[in-house]
mmCIF file of all heavy atoms in Angstrom:
data_model
loop_
_atom_site.group_PDB
_atom_site.id
_atom_site.type_symbol
_atom_site.label_atom_id
_atom_site.label_comp_id
_atom_site.label_asym_id
_atom_site.label_seq_id
_atom_site.Cartn_x
_atom_site.Cartn_y
_atom_site.Cartn_z
ATOM 1 N N VAL A 186 26.539 6.633 18.332
ATOM 2 C CA VAL A 186 25.522 6.183 19.283
ATOM 3 C C VAL A 186 25.902 6.591 20.705
ATOM 4 O O VAL A 186 27.036 6.391 21.143
ATOM 5 C CB VAL A 186 25.352 4.652 19.196
ATOM 6 C CG1 VAL A 186 24.535 4.128 20.375
ATOM 7 C CG2 VAL A 186 24.681 4.280 17.880
ATOM 8 N N SER A 187 24.943 7.167 21.427
ATOM 9 C CA SER A 187 25.179 7.550 22.823
ATOM 10 C C SER A 187 24.447 6.639 23.799
ATOM 11 O O SER A 187 24.666 6.713 25.008
ATOM 12 C CB SER A 187 24.727 9.004 23.053
ATOM 13 O OG SER A 187 23.352 9.155 22.741
ATOM 14 N N ASP A 188 23.564 5.785 23.282
ATOM 15 C CA ASP A 188 22.816 4.855 24.125
ATOM 16 C C ASP A 188 22.861 3.480 23.463
ATOM 17 O O ASP A 188 22.300 3.284 22.381
ATOM 18 C CB ASP A 188 21.369 5.332 24.275
ATOM 19 C CG ASP A 188 20.563 4.490 25.256
ATOM 20 O OD1 ASP A 188 21.010 3.374 25.591
ATOM 21 O OD2 ASP A 188 19.483 4.948 25.672
ATOM 22 N N ASN A 189 23.519 2.532 24.110
ATOM 23 C CA ASN A 189 23.694 1.203 23.519
ATOM 24 C C ASN A 189 22.389 0.434 23.355
ATOM 25 O O ASN A 189 22.371 -0.626 22.721
ATOM 26 C CB ASN A 189 24.674 0.381 24.360
ATOM 27 C CG ASN A 189 26.105 0.867 24.200
ATOM 28 O OD1 ASN A 189 26.470 1.431 23.170
ATOM 29 N ND2 ASN A 189 26.915 0.662 25.229
ATOM 30 N N TRP A 190 21.308 0.962 23.897
ATOM 31 C CA TRP A 190 20.010 0.302 23.740
ATOM 32 C C TRP A 190 19.668 0.081 22.272
ATOM 33 O O TRP A 190 19.060 -0.938 21.915
ATOM 34 C CB TRP A 190 18.926 1.160 24.386
ATOM 35 C CG TRP A 190 17.541 0.675 24.093
ATOM 36 C CD1 TRP A 190 16.834 -0.266 24.774
ATOM 37 C CD2 TRP A 190 16.699 1.098 23.003
ATOM 38 N NE1 TRP A 190 15.602 -0.455 24.192
ATOM 39 C CE2 TRP A 190 15.495 0.369 23.096
ATOM 40 C CE3 TRP A 190 16.848 2.019 21.974
ATOM 41 C CZ2 TRP A 190 14.449 0.537 22.193
ATOM 42 C CZ3 TRP A 190 15.815 2.188 21.066
ATOM 43 C CH2 TRP A 190 14.625 1.454 21.182
ATOM 44 N N ILE A 191 20.074 1.002 21.422
ATOM 45 C CA ILE A 191 19.712 0.901 20.012
ATOM 46 C C ILE A 191 20.255 -0.377 19.384
ATOM 47 O O ILE A 191 19.676 -0.910 18.437
ATOM 48 C CB ILE A 191 20.200 2.147 19.228
ATOM 49 C CG1 ILE A 191 19.534 2.204 17.839
ATOM 50 C CG2 ILE A 191 21.715 2.160 19.111
ATOM 51 C CD1 ILE A 191 18.046 2.388 17.858
ATOM 52 N N PHE A 192 21.339 -0.921 19.938
ATOM 53 C CA PHE A 192 21.921 -2.144 19.375
ATOM 54 C C PHE A 192 21.079 -3.381 19.679
ATOM 55 O O PHE A 192 21.347 -4.455 19.142
ATOM 56 C CB PHE A 192 23.349 -2.333 19.888
ATOM 57 C CG PHE A 192 24.309 -1.275 19.414
ATOM 58 C CD1 PHE A 192 24.965 -0.462 20.324
ATOM 59 C CD2 PHE A 192 24.541 -1.079 18.063
ATOM 60 C CE1 PHE A 192 25.852 0.521 19.894
ATOM 61 C CE2 PHE A 192 25.421 -0.098 17.619
ATOM 62 C CZ PHE A 192 26.071 0.703 18.534
ATOM 63 N N THR A 193 20.071 -3.229 20.538
ATOM 64 C CA THR A 193 19.172 -4.355 20.814
ATOM 65 C C THR A 193 18.088 -4.474 19.747
ATOM 66 O O THR A 193 17.351 -5.460 19.725
ATOM 67 C CB THR A 193 18.498 -4.201 22.190
ATOM 68 O OG1 THR A 193 17.589 -3.084 22.163
ATOM 69 C CG2 THR A 193 19.538 -3.989 23.285
ATOM 70 N N ARG A 194 17.980 -3.481 18.884
ATOM 71 C CA ARG A 194 16.977 -3.521 17.823
ATOM 72 C C ARG A 194 17.419 -4.487 16.724
ATOM 73 O O ARG A 194 18.608 -4.710 16.504
ATOM 74 C CB ARG A 194 16.753 -2.126 17.223
ATOM 75 C CG ARG A 194 16.292 -1.050 18.199
ATOM 76 C CD ARG A 194 14.942 -1.360 18.810
ATOM 77 N NE ARG A 194 15.060 -2.180 20.007
ATOM 78 C CZ ARG A 194 14.046 -2.834 20.570
ATOM 79 N NH1 ARG A 194 12.843 -2.799 20.028
ATOM 80 N NH2 ARG A 194 14.241 -3.538 21.661
ATOM 81 N N ASN A 195 16.451 -5.033 16.013
ATOM 82 C CA ASN A 195 16.721 -6.004 14.957
ATOM 83 C C ASN A 195 17.272 -5.303 13.715
ATOM 84 O O ASN A 195 16.557 -4.563 13.037
ATOM 85 C CB ASN A 195 15.436 -6.762 14.606
ATOM 86 C CG ASN A 195 15.652 -7.797 13.516
ATOM 87 O OD1 ASN A 195 16.643 -8.513 13.519
ATOM 88 N ND2 ASN A 195 14.724 -7.855 12.575
ATOM 89 N N PHE A 196 18.544 -5.536 13.417
ATOM 90 C CA PHE A 196 19.191 -4.902 12.268
ATOM 91 C C PHE A 196 18.566 -5.400 10.964
ATOM 92 O O PHE A 196 18.360 -6.598 10.770
ATOM 93 C CB PHE A 196 20.688 -5.215 12.280
ATOM 94 C CG PHE A 196 21.425 -4.734 11.062
ATOM 95 C CD1 PHE A 196 21.814 -3.412 10.940
ATOM 96 C CD2 PHE A 196 21.724 -5.614 10.024
ATOM 97 C CE1 PHE A 196 22.495 -2.969 9.811
ATOM 98 C CE2 PHE A 196 22.404 -5.179 8.896
ATOM 99 C CZ PHE A 196 22.790 -3.850 8.790
ATOM 100 N N ILE A 197 18.275 -4.462 10.065
ATOM 101 C CA ILE A 197 17.706 -4.806 8.757
ATOM 102 C C ILE A 197 18.731 -4.619 7.648
ATOM 103 O O ILE A 197 19.002 -5.528 6.869
ATOM 104 C CB ILE A 197 16.456 -3.948 8.458
ATOM 105 C CG1 ILE A 197 15.354 -4.221 9.487
ATOM 106 C CG2 ILE A 197 15.941 -4.226 7.044
ATOM 107 C CD1 ILE A 197 14.137 -3.320 9.332
ATOM 108 N N LYS A 198 19.315 -3.427 7.582
ATOM 109 C CA LYS A 198 20.264 -3.140 6.506
ATOM 110 C C LYS A 198 21.041 -1.874 6.826
ATOM 111 O O LYS A 198 20.673 -1.113 7.729
ATOM 112 C CB LYS A 198 19.537 -2.962 5.175
ATOM 113 C CG LYS A 198 18.574 -1.779 5.148
ATOM 114 C CD LYS A 198 18.071 -1.456 3.744
ATOM 115 C CE LYS A 198 17.320 -2.598 3.116
ATOM 116 N NZ LYS A 198 16.693 -2.196 1.829
#
Side-chain angles (χ1 to χ4, degrees):
V186 168
S187 59
D188 186 344
N189 288 333
W190 171 86
I191 194 64
F192 294 119
T193 68
R194 301 297 87 195
N195 180 42
F196 174 80
I197 298 175
K198 63 169 61 173

